[in-house]
Amino acid sequence: KNFASVLSLEKVILSTASEFQTIQVIETTQFGKTLVMDGKTQSAAFDEYVYHETLVQPAMLCMHPYLPKTVFIGGGGELATVREVLRHSCVEKVIMVDLDEVAVNICIEHLPEWNAGYANDPRLEIIYGDAKAFLETYESTFDVIILDVCDPIEAGPAYVIYTQEFYTFAASKLNPNGVLVTQSGACSLYNFKECFTAIHKTLAKSFDKVYGYNVNIPSFVGIWGFNIAFKNAESDNCKRFDKLDEETIDQFIETRLGKDTMKFYDGVTHRRLFALSKPIRKGLEQENRIITVDNPVF
């Protein structure tokens, strides 16, 4: 509110609408090709890899010494989250559930760099519908759950994906050593209390251990927050997570994905992501809001 950035528009590649939202693919001088939904930037060529590697890779690699084989993605219509998951050859099955088929098809056609060919990977199953409703009827469990949907301030009815009720249910859909990671909204010094701390506090009611982290996303005009939650705090991967040094992370990456395969995430970056500033750490300690169905907070 009362804060804006001004970009130079090079061209409008596409402007349309689906049943759920307006969709534009534009090109700006500063950030290149950009996906805009309902007037808000969702992803830009300049830094989409920063967002998607940050969302996915800590969760996928922190499973060590376990190899994640089954992954659920809620949202993720650009298919860049899929790209980051399917980099891992150990993954056998990915189910992505997104509400908007029109938006997904636009991303496949106009933003092919985002999925990097993984849209046709036989390990991927795309389902169009409500992610929560799908999980409620799905009988199997997952090693990793990734939530890549709008934050609760803007999600409308989808705010239920950020509630204690949903998180408790999601934990039941994870395997014993499973993890859940969710994008958690703006996380700069002036706005981290909007939803980041409340999401963290809510997750902590349903999971044994939760870590918050953040990263600078220039096309989002600031710092963006994420939370990763462990079902079992006594698991080897959880106990090791906050003690992982740079060399260990780099070794995990090289063993699993090969050397220099990512543009952003590595051991040094990992340490920086989870080194939250003192005011944000204090904010997490002081937060007492719990997001529920009856009390959505926002």
Side-chain angles (χ1 to χ4, degrees), residues 7-9 11-14 23-37 40-47 110-111 114 219-220:
L7 304 177
S8 301
L9 180 66
K11 62 180 175 179
V12 176
I13 298 169
L14 174 79
I23 307 163
Q24 293 174 303
V25 179
I26 65 174
E27 190 160 332
T28 70
T29 303
Q30 291 82 0
F31 300 129
K33 201 185 297 183
T34 302
L35 175 67
V36 179
M37 292 180 171
K40 296 181 176 65
T41 296
Q42 302 298 312
S43 199
F46 178 78
D47 55 13
H110 293 280
L111 307 173
W114 271 245
S219 65
F220 288 3

Side-chain angles (χ1 to χ4, degrees), residues 67-142:
L67 295 177
K69 296 181 178 179
T70 55
V71 180
F72 174 82
I73 300 172
E78 305 108 303
L79 295 172
T81 298
V82 163
R83 176 195 74 213
E84 292 303 317
V85 170
L86 289 175
R87 286 178 187 267
H88 296 260
S89 60
C90 58
V91 172
E92 298 174 356
K93 179 71 174 177
V94 176
I95 297 178
M96 181 188 116
V97 181
D98 194 283
L99 197 60
D100 197 337
E101 183 174 5
V102 171
V104 172
N105 286 333
I106 284 172
C107 291
I108 290 172
E109 179 180 355
H110 293 280
L111 307 173
E113 312 95 312
W114 271 245
N115 74 74
Y118 285 107
N120 299 314
D121 193 296
R123 295 173 291 169
L124 172 65
E125 180 181 0
I126 301 177
I127 295 171
Y128 297 105
D130 181 275
K132 175 177 175 289
F134 171 83
L135 275 179
E136 288 172 343
T137 59
Y138 190 71
E139 294 183 357
S140 297
T141 53
F142 298 92

